[in-house]
Amino acid sequence: MGKTKRKFNSMYNKYKQSFKGPLENVGKVIRLDFSDRDFINLFKEMYPYMWEDLNKKYDFWHYKNNDLIRKGKKSRYNFRNPTNFVLDCSKGIRKKAREGNYNLNEEEKVILKEDICRKSKLKVERNKQKLEKELYYIQEVSPEYEKAYISKYFKSHDLHIKLEIIRELSKYKSKNIIKFFYKVNYCTRNFSLKQESKKYIQSLQLPFQLRGKKKGKKNYIDNEIVKNESSPEVLMKRLYDDELEKLKKFDIFMSHNSLDKQEIIKIRKLLNKDKLVAYIDWSSDKFDLRHEWCNATTSHVIKERIKQSKCIMICMTKKLLKSQWCPWEIGYADAIGKKICIYKLEDISYIPQFFDSYYEVKIIDNEFIVEQDNKKVKLNDWITNKSN
């Protein structure tokens, strides 16, 4: 048996051991005349978070194993499907339960089951909240430059360029980007970059096994800790010199007041559902455009990001009307001929008249609609000129 398969078997057996206690509890509360399907269903009811994790791990290892087979290699990762996994782990427990060897009366069974279900519900809710927190800054959409960035990562030998690509793609979630981060773990020698891939994958609550450092002759870059400087000035230099930065394109530049942060994120999530990539300075450039670093260079960066955006959406609130940055952004966008639309996040009694010259966006039947010349046009079509 090879080293890789031995490591997998060790991990697999430890994982099976973690199910022993929960499966014992299922055996204690299940009725005597149960079927195997009843046992599985009760386990799913009492431990939904474990069932979900089991399915994720199965999908992960099943994909890896099939990938090996497609490449003509031998099967290494025999991870049983969730139903068979639970039945394998509970063989002795189910036998004891059917023989009535768990001495709990009906009242005790009810109490134990309710207590476990209550704790499981709390754990599921905590996991959900944790995931929502991690996804707060992440756009669940594929940017236009996704493929170019992934291709550049595996062609480049510069660790700092690689880290910059990882930083950028970590702001998004898509099938290709998730696959990319898994590949970083398996194909990259530098350990600090592997750690970056681990941080991203685990933030999405997906299975991850950190690939260890390679033994034998080592390149000095294997153990180098890669760190990139961050500031508006550093970003501005990259905008002028870095070919990757020039590839960036955004569908919408969201002109807003940062005090409306919560609402802005909600709108961006809805835009992502329409496959639209939105630019928000404190999120899309979160490593370099921190509010405490705001200076004259920041305005030059914002100009470049407006140029890279297909249109500007004014996220209208009372706070926006008091902003110094938003009128400047709108004025610059207007001057260079960018499409501008306005979305009202709240009712406002007075709005300056010059805003009336911009098309208004509304949400109708869960879709962003632009009211243009007495016609209703989908925002996506309006941006790409399909409305014409």
Side-chain angles (χ1 to χ4, degrees):
M1 186 187 295
K3 180 182 176 183
T4 302
K5 193 165 185 177
R6 287 199 303 272
K7 287 178 71 174
F8 168 78
N9 287 345
S10 175
M11 178 281 300
Y12 188 69
N13 289 330
K14 285 180 182 177
Y15 188 58
K16 286 174 72 175
Q17 284 296 314
S18 69
F19 280 73
K20 185 177 179 181
L23 291 172
E24 283 274 2
N25 288 331
V26 176
K28 289 175 183 178
V29 303
I30 200 164
R31 67 179 191 271
L32 290 176
D33 60 337
F34 69 91
S35 66
D36 288 351
R37 176 51 55 188
D38 293 332
F39 191 91
I40 296 292
N41 289 336
L42 185 56
F43 174 76
K44 289 160 68 175
E45 180 185 351
M46 292 173 65
Y47 294 97
Y49 63 93
M50 293 188 75
W51 180 256
E52 182 183 5
D53 183 68
L54 178 57
N55 276 273
K56 287 179 180 178
K57 279 189 166 55
Y58 170 73
D59 290 341
F60 173 72
W61 291 108
H62 187 64
Y63 174 82
K64 281 177 64 66
N65 204 49
N66 284 345
D67 194 44
L68 284 175
I69 294 168
R70 280 196 299 269
K71 292 175 181 176
K73 297 181 181 179
K74 291 182 180 179
S75 172
R76 291 179 191 165
Y77 312 118
N78 182 27
F79 200 108
R80 300 277 276 164
N81 71 58
T83 296
N84 289 335
F85 180 95
V86 172
L87 292 177
D88 287 348
C89 294
S90 63
K91 188 175 180 180
I93 293 168
R94 283 180 287 121
K95 183 180 178 183
K96 286 171 66 176
R98 287 188 172 114
E99 292 173 352
N101 291 336
Y102 292 112
N103 299 318
L104 269 67
N105 60 42
E106 290 304 315
E107 185 180 354
E108 289 172 329
K109 287 181 178 182
V110 170
I111 292 171
L112 178 59
K113 180 183 175 184
E114 288 180 349
D115 184 53
I116 291 170
C117 288
R118 179 182 57 81
K119 289 177 180 176
S120 290
K121 187 177 179 181
L122 289 173
K123 187 153 189 173
V124 168
E125 188 59 35
R126 283 197 298 270
N127 288 343
K128 182 182 176 183
Q129 290 174 359
K130 187 177 179 181
L131 181 59
E132 287 176 352
K133 185 178 179 181
E134 293 293 342
L135 289 175
Y136 186 81
Y137 285 106
I138 292 177
Q139 297 199 63
E140 297 181 67
V141 66
S142 297
E144 287 184 23
Y145 49 90
E146 175 188 277
K147 289 183 180 179
Y149 268 59
I150 291 173
S151 176
K152 179 66 175 177
Y153 179 91
F154 293 108
K155 289 179 180 177
S156 176
H157 298 288
D158 188 321
L159 295 181
H160 295 282
I161 289 176
K162 285 178 178 285
L163 178 59
E164 211 55 57
I165 292 169
I166 284 174
R167 276 183 167 188
E168 182 60 30
L169 294 181
S170 71
K171 300 169 189 174
Y172 298 92
K173 178 189 172 187
S174 72
K175 286 184 179 180
N176 283 339
I177 288 174
I178 291 171
K179 187 177 178 182
F180 161 76
F181 276 99
Y182 276 125
K183 196 171 180 181
V184 168
N185 177 45
Y186 289 108
C187 300
T188 301
R189 292 186 65 98
N190 181 269
F191 206 67
S192 68
L193 296 181
K194 289 177 182 284
Q195 292 285 357
E196 292 292 329
S197 70
K198 176 183 177 181
K199 185 164 58 176
Y200 174 83
I201 294 294
Q202 290 189 335
S203 73
L204 301 180
Q205 298 181 6
L206 295 172
F208 186 87
Q209 187 179 42
L210 185 65
R211 192 76 174 264
K213 296 180 181 178
K214 293 184 179 180
K215 291 185 178 181
K217 187 176 180 181
K218 288 187 173 62
N219 193 308
Y220 77 94
I221 66 171
D222 290 7
N223 297 315
E224 182 181 344
I225 297 174
V226 190
K227 291 184 178 178
N228 284 0
E229 293 182 2
S230 300
S231 72
E233 288 75 21
V234 170
L235 177 55
M236 195 66 234
K237 188 175 186 303
R238 289 205 313 272
L239 280 165
Y240 285 132
D241 300 337
D242 192 337
E243 290 301 317
L244 285 171
E245 282 293 339
K246 294 173 184 177
L247 291 174
K248 287 185 180 179
K249 299 289 180 187
F250 306 97
D251 294 305
I252 296 173
F253 180 101
M254 299 183 75
S255 182
H256 66 286
N257 190 312
S258 59
L259 296 175
D260 295 314
K261 183 179 288 189
Q262 298 293 336
E263 286 300 315
I264 295 303
I265 288 295
K266 288 178 184 177
I267 297 303
R268 190 179 72 177
K269 294 290 183 187
L270 293 174
L271 290 169
N272 287 169
K273 286 182 180 179
D274 279 351
K275 298 183 178 180
L276 293 168
V277 177
Y279 176 85
I280 301 174
D281 54 355
W282 45 264
S283 175
S284 302
D285 282 321
K286 63 181 180 179
F287 297 106
D288 298 282
L289 294 188
R290 298 178 186 174
H291 284 295
E292 61 268 27
W293 293 347
C294 185
N295 57 29
T297 307
T298 304
S299 64
H300 293 295
V301 172
I302 295 298
K303 284 181 180 180
E304 293 303 314
R305 294 308 191 208
I306 290 173
K307 289 177 185 176
Q308 291 175 321
S309 301
K310 296 173 185 175
C311 82
I312 312 300
M313 177 184 280
I314 305 166
C315 300
M316 179 60 68
T317 65
K318 293 173 185 176
K319 296 185 184 74
L320 179 134
L321 294 175
K322 297 177 182 178
S323 168
Q324 294 179 336
W325 276 96
C326 294
W328 175 83
E329 291 168 353
I330 297 162
Y332 179 76
D334 215 341
I336 63 172
K338 287 290 177 181
K339 284 188 168 187
I340 300 175
C341 59
I342 180 168
Y343 177 76
K344 296 175 183 176
L345 275 72
E346 60 186 17
D347 292 328
I348 305 175
S349 57
Y350 171 74
I351 297 177
Q353 283 188 339
F354 75 87
F355 284 107
D356 292 338
S357 62
Y358 304 128
Y359 293 122
E360 186 174 354
V361 178
K362 293 182 179 179
I363 296 179
I364 302 174
D365 296 330
N366 294 319
E367 285 189 311
F368 284 95
I369 302 296
V370 179
E371 296 190 339
Q372 172 181 304
D373 304 326
N374 297 319
K375 289 192 284 187
K376 290 184 171 130
V377 181
K378 289 182 180 180
L379 178 60
N380 217 325
D381 292 339
W382 181 76
I383 290 171
T384 56
N385 285 321
K386 288 182 182 177
S387 57
N388 296 328

